[in-house]
Structure formats: C-alpha cells, structure tokens
Amino acid sequence: MRNSTIDIAVENISDAVRKVDEIASAAQGYTSASTVEAGSDPSDGDESDDTASVTIRVPASSYPSVMNQLRDIAKRVLSENSQSSEVTDEYTDLQARLRNLTATENSYIELLSKAQNVTDILAIQEKLDPVRGEIEQVQGRINVLNDLTDLATITVRLQPPTAAPSDRNWVEDAWHAGWSASGVVLFIVGSGVIIGAVLLLWIVPLGLLGLAGWRLLGRRLTGFYSRLKTGFDNESRSKPEAP
C-alpha cells in the first residue's frame, strides 16, 4: 500500500489540475478529490496566487510512470514524500477470521435446516444474524485492503512559482532601494503640487469675488458713515448753548 505526496510549482493552476486528471485517467486511475483555493484577492480574476490539491488513485504498477509525468508538468518540484505500508499480516488474519466465521455460519444453517419447531428456529436465527454481520465487516475490510494494495494514492499539491532569489550585490540592492524611495518622494511632491494647483483654481476666483464685494460694500459703508457723521454734526450746531 503506497501513499505519496508531491508539491510542485506550476505556471497555471487550472491547466495543471486538468493535466493531473488526464494523467490519472491515462493510467486507468481516477481523481478521488480536488480542491482549488483562491488567492488573497479572488475578485480581480488573477490566478497567480491560487493553490490547489488533487488526490489521484492509480494502479500500483503505473506508479513510477505517473510520478515521472507529474514531475514533467512542474516548473519546479518543491518536495516529495512517499510511504509504503505492509498489510500482509492484517490481510492474513482477516482471511483466517473470515474462514472461521463462514464455517460457523454453515453450521448454524445446517442446524436451521433440521429445526423442528419455531422456538428452535428463532434461537438458531438469533445466533446466525450476528455471525453474518461480522462476515460482512471482515469482507468489507478485505475489499478495502485489496483496493489499497492494487491502487497507489498520490496527493499533488500545486502552487505558483515563488520569486527567484536575487543575484544582485549590496551596491545594486542599495541603488534599487534608493531609486524606489525617490519614486515615493517624487509621487508625494507631485501629488502636493497637483493638489495646490487645484486649490488655486478655486481660491483665486473666490478671492477676486471677495475683493470686488468688499470694495462695493466698503464704498457704501463709507458713504453711510459719512452721512451719519454729518447728521450728528448738524444736530450739535442746532442746539442752543446753555446760559
């Protein structure tokens, strides 16, 4: 019984999932499970951050060929893990248990055929039913082991390629870091200039309107105060002086 896991980096997750399914089908196997997980922002339709996991079952005889084909679709194989379990002892024990249960079942069936009354029939049937239930359980486990032995299970985990390590030295890294920082500063300064220009488009017309309004209102206020002062002066002159 063989179980393997292979982690591979691929350019396109959707295409790789389809190829894994095709490889399993071509080997007379099948896909037993498939999961695709979207990246951090699935709304933009970008698959670059998607990951996937595909579990396939293939005949044990085709296992080496299938693994080679899975490696071929990868841009890079990240890791492999393979485990093989020996089930011969369990299989032998189950076969022996099945033979004993079958012999017990046959004995009860023979007794049942010779029963003369309802009471004996019911008593024998009560003992026969649990034996048949155990036979079904043992046979089911044998079938599972047969399937696990005949078919290998391979879990393929797919992810996008990781960024390649930088080959630049510290001088190049410092240059690129400084260039990136200068771009940020230029963006901030440029944004400030644009915002200032937009504000001026509003401030200048409003300032001119305010100045024109002040001049017009100022003249009226000056005339009003002049007339008011003249009125007070005339009133003071018209009043007689006290004796």
Side-chain angles (χ1 to χ4, degrees), residues 47 56 59 88 240:
E47 295 184 354
I56 59 177
T88 303

PDB file of all heavy atoms in Angstrom, residues 47 56 59 88 240:
ATOM      1  N   GLU A  47      -5.164  34.468 -11.294  1.00  0.00           N
ATOM      2  CA  GLU A  47      -4.926  33.142 -10.750  1.00  0.00           C
ATOM      3  C   GLU A  47      -3.516  32.990 -10.197  1.00  0.00           C
ATOM      4  O   GLU A  47      -3.132  31.904  -9.760  1.00  0.00           O
ATOM      5  CB  GLU A  47      -5.162  32.078 -11.822  1.00  0.00           C
ATOM      6  CG  GLU A  47      -6.602  31.978 -12.314  1.00  0.00           C
ATOM      7  CD  GLU A  47      -6.776  30.839 -13.299  1.00  0.00           C
ATOM      8  OE1 GLU A  47      -5.758  30.227 -13.661  1.00  0.00           O
ATOM      9  OE2 GLU A  47      -7.906  30.568 -13.698  1.00  0.00           O
ATOM     10  N   ILE A  56      -5.169  11.578  -6.513  1.00  0.00           N
ATOM     11  CA  ILE A  56      -5.486  10.621  -7.563  1.00  0.00           C
ATOM     12  C   ILE A  56      -5.171   9.207  -7.078  1.00  0.00           C
ATOM     13  O   ILE A  56      -4.328   9.004  -6.204  1.00  0.00           O
ATOM     14  CB  ILE A  56      -4.706  10.918  -8.867  1.00  0.00           C
ATOM     15  CG1 ILE A  56      -3.193  10.877  -8.605  1.00  0.00           C
ATOM     16  CG2 ILE A  56      -5.113  12.269  -9.428  1.00  0.00           C
ATOM     17  CD1 ILE A  56      -2.347  11.082  -9.853  1.00  0.00           C
ATOM     18  N   PRO A  59      -3.206   2.568 -10.622  1.00  0.00           N
ATOM     19  CA  PRO A  59      -2.695   1.218 -10.367  1.00  0.00           C
ATOM     20  C   PRO A  59      -1.258   1.254  -9.870  1.00  0.00           C
ATOM     21  O   PRO A  59      -0.443   2.073 -10.321  1.00  0.00           O
ATOM     22  CB  PRO A  59      -2.793   0.552 -11.752  1.00  0.00           C
ATOM     23  CG  PRO A  59      -3.887   1.307 -12.446  1.00  0.00           C
ATOM     24  CD  PRO A  59      -3.767   2.716 -11.967  1.00  0.00           C
ATOM     25  N   THR A  88       0.271  -7.287   4.744  1.00  0.00           N
ATOM     26  CA  THR A  88       0.184  -8.740   4.579  1.00  0.00           C
ATOM     27  C   THR A  88      -0.322  -9.427   5.843  1.00  0.00           C
ATOM     28  O   THR A  88      -1.187 -10.321   5.782  1.00  0.00           O
ATOM     29  CB  THR A  88       1.571  -9.312   4.203  1.00  0.00           C
ATOM     30  OG1 THR A  88       2.043  -8.670   3.022  1.00  0.00           O
ATOM     31  CG2 THR A  88       1.480 -10.822   3.971  1.00  0.00           C
ATOM     32  N   PRO A 240     -29.194 125.158  21.209  1.00  0.00           N
ATOM     33  CA  PRO A 240     -28.747 126.414  21.844  1.00  0.00           C
ATOM     34  C   PRO A 240     -27.809 126.100  22.986  1.00  0.00           C
ATOM     35  O   PRO A 240     -27.898 125.046  23.608  1.00  0.00           O
ATOM     36  CB  PRO A 240     -30.053 127.061  22.360  1.00  0.00           C
ATOM     37  CG  PRO A 240     -30.961 125.877  22.547  1.00  0.00           C
ATOM     38  CD  PRO A 240     -30.613 124.888  21.480  1.00  0.00           C
TER      39      PRO A 240
END
